[in-house]
Structure formats: structure tokens, C-alpha cells
Amino acid sequence: MTSEQDDRAFRALTQKITRARGLVCDSYKDRCLRRRIAVRMRARGVHTFDEYGRLLEQDVREYDLLLDALTINVTKFFRNVETWRALEPRLTALWTARHGEVRVWSAGCASGEEPYTVAVALAETARRLGQETLLSRARVDATDIDRTSLERTRAAQYPEAAFTEMPRELVRRYFSAEVPRRPLPELQRIVRVLKHDLTSEPPPAPPYDLVVCRNVVIYFDRRMQERLFSLFADALAPGGVLLLGKVETLFGAARARLVLEEPRERIYRRAEAGA
Ligand SMILES: C[S@@+](CC[C@H](N)C(=O)[O-])C[C@H]1O[C@@H](n2cnc3c(N)ncnc32)[C@H](O)[C@@H]1O
């Protein structure tokens, strides 16, 4: 097969996936998609994109397995713990300014470790300020495109392996003692789980004081990354904070609106109105 035929077969396959499941494949990096699709092709013993397309028509359950493979959902509580430490003083300032009414969006939340990390960080801030009762005023919108991830976030039951980066004292304070561990009900109450496609839908309920989108934009092509950075800037309240993944860097038009505050931790802040 020539590389032109191979490209054509690949395009036909990604269009089929978009039609069947709404995943806008064009926005993802080709290299990334091809690698993930190849994993499923090997698992099913087929060798060409055409063959795999036919298989999807015959066995629609394969779509679920493919979508699982395409939406990489590795995550952990307090992933890159130093980043969460750097965020602490900002959360304290936010908490005080908003009297607990802090609005957070965890976009691409996978199985929920990230939004529950935010919930723990908010609860800790409230505790240190002696304002525990205000926690119920906070809200964390946890969104993802992947149904299985959303079900896991709603179920909120985590194996011990999910906690290796989280300080033990916080695990003891905010999670059940028995494994699988569950976050305390007051944390579960502030996390709202929603299905949301970053590539085609507006932010669920702006304005947000904090947008956390880590290890997600890396899978998109530059055009989509630039669009998402502007979307995050729009979604933030003036003075709001954006947290990206450790290897993700903001570029494009949003750079004029989001100031880089902590280069190593990828913490940005939207300029205050009129600043
Ligand atoms: C590697 S995980 C990141 C999880 C978490 N943010 C973290 O850093 O630990 C990437 C997540 O992005 C989600 N994702 C991929 N494409 C998406 C899209 N178009 N809209 C929303 N979420 C998407 C995947 O389903 C997956 O759960």
C-alpha cells in the first residue's frame, strides 16, 4: 500500500469514528491517533485501517475499546505534588476573596483524582483558616469526554495505587480508611461530574476562579491547543488562575491575557479587569 492510500484509509477511518461517536479526531495529533489505533488493530489481529473500519461496523463494541485507547486516562491524586504546593497560597487568597464561593473547572478529569485533589486542597485551605463550614459553598466541575472515566469519577472508589503522590496525612483526613478508599461525603458534594467535549463545546459554567487542565492539550494539534488556551482565558474570571500540565506551555493569542506566574509549575493568571 502506498503512503497516499494509507493516509486516505486513515482519514476514512477517523471520519467514521467521528460520525459514530462524535470524537473530533481532526483535532488530535495524527501521530498520537495512529499509535493508539495501532494498539487496537494489533489486539484484534487486523493489519490495515480498511480492515479495522470493517471490523468496527461488524462489532460496535470495539468502538468502546477504541475510545478507551484514544482517550489516554492516566492520572493520580496530587500528581506532581510540588505543583499543588505552589498553588496553595493562591487558593488561600481566592478562598478569602470569595468567602468560600470558589468555582473550579477540572477539564479532562479522567477518573476523578484531579477534581478530588482540588476538593481536598480547598478543604485544607478552609481548615487552616478555621472556615470548614464554608466548604459547601465551593464547586468543582469535573468534565471529560470519556464515559468510563466519568462513571469512575461518579463512583469515586480508589485503589491504594492512586495515592502514592498524596501526603499520607491528607489521605487519612479526607478519605475512608477502608480500601477502595472513598472521599468524604462533604468532598463528593462539591464535585459535579459532567460529560463535556473540549474540542466542540463551550465551558460548562463560567466564570471560573481556577481552571485545571493538565495533560490533555498535549494530545491535540497546535491549532486546537491555541483555541483551547483562548477558551480557558475566556472561561476565567478576572484574576482567575489557569493550571496546565508540567510539559504544557501556553502560546498564541491567550499569552496576552494570561500572565505566567510560576514557569516550572505552569501556573498562569488572567489579568484583572482594567489591568
Ligand atoms: C492523561 S488524562 C489527564 C488526567 C488529569 N487531568 C491529570 O493530569 O492527571 C487525559 C484526559 O483527557 C480526556 N480527553 C481527551 N480528549 C478530550 C476531549 N476532547 N474533551 C474532554 N476530555 C478529553 C481523556 O478522556 C482523559 O481522561
Side-chain angles (χ1 to χ4, degrees):
M1 186 185 278
T2 64
S3 75
E4 211 172 290
Q5 283 169 325
D6 179 71
D7 281 349
R8 216 174 305 132
F10 176 68
R11 288 281 150 243
L13 178 61
T14 57
Q15 280 160 12
K16 190 193 285 280
I17 297 166
T18 305
R19 275 197 307 275
R21 289 301 171 98
L23 185 78
V24 190
C25 294
D26 289 353
S27 309
Y28 293 80
K29 288 178 186 155
D30 264 13
R31 204 165 15 97
C32 200
L33 279 180
R34 280 175 183 262
R35 216 175 31 233
R36 304 268 145 197
I37 293 172
V39 170
R40 287 307 312 154
M41 286 169 55
R42 268 200 303 279
R44 298 300 303 262
V46 299
H47 303 287
T48 66
F49 293 129
D50 282 338
E51 267 181 275
Y52 187 63
R54 282 195 292 279
L55 192 149
L56 281 170
E57 275 163 27
Q58 288 152 11
D59 179 1
V60 288
R61 283 168 313 171
E62 177 60 24
Y63 273 119
D64 291 330
L65 298 169
L66 174 63
L67 252 71
D68 260 357
L70 289 180
T71 55
I72 308 113
N73 24 43
V74 182
T75 186
K76 268 187 176 205
F77 288 103
F78 283 80
R79 186 174 191 178
N80 308 117
V81 66
E82 62 288 356
T83 302
W84 296 97
R85 257 184 232 121
L87 199 67
E88 255 173 44
R90 292 169 174 88
L91 283 184
T92 307
L94 256 179
W95 191 267
T96 312
R98 303 273 194 267
H99 305 291
E101 283 188 19
V102 180
R103 299 286 172 263
V104 184
W105 178 21
S106 165
C109 68
S111 36
E113 286 84 338
E114 182 180 275
Y116 281 116
T117 297
V118 176
V120 167
L122 288 173
E124 242 333 73
T125 308
R127 192 183 70 85
R128 293 222 186 99
L129 293 169
Q131 298 185 349
E132 288 96 325
T133 53
L134 296 188
L135 182 67
S136 62
R137 290 195 190 175
R139 199 186 65 222
V140 181
D141 286 345
T143 70
D144 204 283
I145 194 174
D146 181 40
R147 266 178 237 277
T148 316
S149 295
L150 293 171
E151 278 162 23
R152 292 198 182 122
T153 306
R154 287 201 182 95
Q157 299 192 351
Y158 298 99
E160 210 51 48
F163 295 93
T164 51
E165 289 198 45
M166 181 165 173
R168 291 314 290 177
E169 176 201 346
L170 296 184
V171 179
R172 279 194 295 273
R173 192 170 293 144
Y174 293 105
F175 284 81
S176 66
E178 73 278 6
V179 180
R181 291 186 189 272
R182 309 209 64 201
L184 295 185
E186 52 265 44
L187 298 191
Q188 292 190 45
R189 272 197 289 274
I190 66 166
V191 174
R192 186 168 73 151
V193 185
L194 306 162
K195 184 164 191 302
H196 178 270
D197 181 354
L198 275 164
T199 65
S200 61
E201 292 177 89
Y208 290 100
D209 301 302
L210 169 65
V211 172
V212 182
C213 187
R214 306 177 74 204
N215 311 299
V216 181
V217 298
I218 194 165
Y219 301 111
F220 296 120
D221 61 23
R222 278 184 75 81
R223 195 178 47 91
M224 181 51 69
Q225 289 187 1
E226 192 168 345
R227 242 179 76 184
L228 290 179
F229 295 144
S230 290
L231 180 130
F232 297 149
D234 291 340
L236 281 168
V241 173
L242 170 67
L243 180 58
L244 295 178
K246 264 233 124 128
V247 294
E248 293 162 335
T249 301
L250 185 110
F251 58 86
R255 269 182 68 177
R257 303 165 67 199
L258 294 165
V259 180
L260 180 57
E261 286 201 333
E262 291 269 357
R264 276 176 68 90
E265 310 308 335
R266 305 299 202 261
I267 298 176
Y268 298 81
R269 186 186 291 280
R270 182 173 155 175
E272 295 283 351

